[in-house]
Amino acid sequence: MCSSDLYEEKLLLNRTYIENGEYYRLITVALLHGGLWHLAFNLYALHALGTLVEGYFGRNKYALILIVSLLSGSTLSILFNPANVYSIGASGMIFGLFGALALIGKRAGVEWRSVLVIVGLNFAIGFVDRKSTRLNSSHQIISYAVFC
């Protein structure tokens, strides 16, 4: 096993790890990405959406939205995915930003066409690139719904 495999093994999210008390994985899952494209899309979404959400809510509430979104997405991934499915990435956190943006959209003057493109791309990654998401689209949808 190479060092990157050991790194992933220490941070990725799976129900078995959580049942064994490794709760830190609910957060560390966001540090892993299944490749350059997965990381690039998440960084782009974080910048594009995060700038709007932080500008509207302020730094502290923005940080709270990110943390709650990450924890809810990770928790729901554990609850809805089979025990043999591993999750990686910050998609739950990103989809929580989509939900927050849906709440403030009109008041913040959001141009929805570009936001829907970002939503579509992130959602499609969950079905196209199995390596990067490892079937964690269920937590993306539910995390989005938490803030709507």
Side-chain angles (χ1 to χ4, degrees):
M1 200 179 260
C2 70
S3 63
S4 67
D5 291 337
L6 291 172
Y7 171 75
E8 283 187 8
E9 182 67 27
K10 296 284 186 192
L11 302 178
L12 56 77
L13 184 62
N14 177 273
R15 182 182 304 157
T16 305
Y17 296 128
I18 301 302
E19 289 172 350
N20 289 330
E22 298 181 36
Y23 301 110
Y24 66 90
R25 291 174 183 267
L26 294 169
I27 295 172
T28 60
V29 67
L31 301 175
L32 295 175
H33 287 81
L36 188 57
W37 284 109
H38 187 200
L39 177 62
F41 278 119
N42 277 345
L43 287 174
Y44 174 71
L46 184 61
H47 173 70
L49 302 171
T51 302
L52 294 169
V53 173
E54 183 181 12
Y56 186 85
F57 287 109
R59 183 176 294 161
N60 292 336
K61 287 182 183 176
Y62 173 66
L64 183 63
I65 289 168
L66 289 177
I67 292 167
V68 169
S69 298
L70 175 58
L71 290 174
S72 65
S74 295
T75 300
L76 292 167
S77 179
I78 291 298
L79 292 175
F80 288 102
N81 280 327
N84 64 335
V85 172
Y86 294 87
S87 296
I88 58 174
S91 299
M93 184 171 66
I94 299 298
F95 275 79
L97 285 177
F98 288 132
L101 196 57
L103 287 176
I104 64 166
K106 285 186 179 181
R107 291 174 279 175
V110 173
E111 200 282 288
W112 283 103
R113 189 176 307 174
S114 60
V115 171
L116 292 176
V117 168
I118 298 169
V119 170
L121 288 171
N122 275 281
F123 188 74
I125 289 171
F127 294 101
V128 174
D129 189 0
R130 290 291 185 218
K131 180 183 176 219
S132 70
T133 59
R134 306 219 177 118
L135 302 176
N136 66 7
S137 291
S138 62
H139 80 274
Q140 296 171 358
I141 296 165
I142 297 167
S143 180
Y144 173 76
V146 165
F147 281 99
C148 285

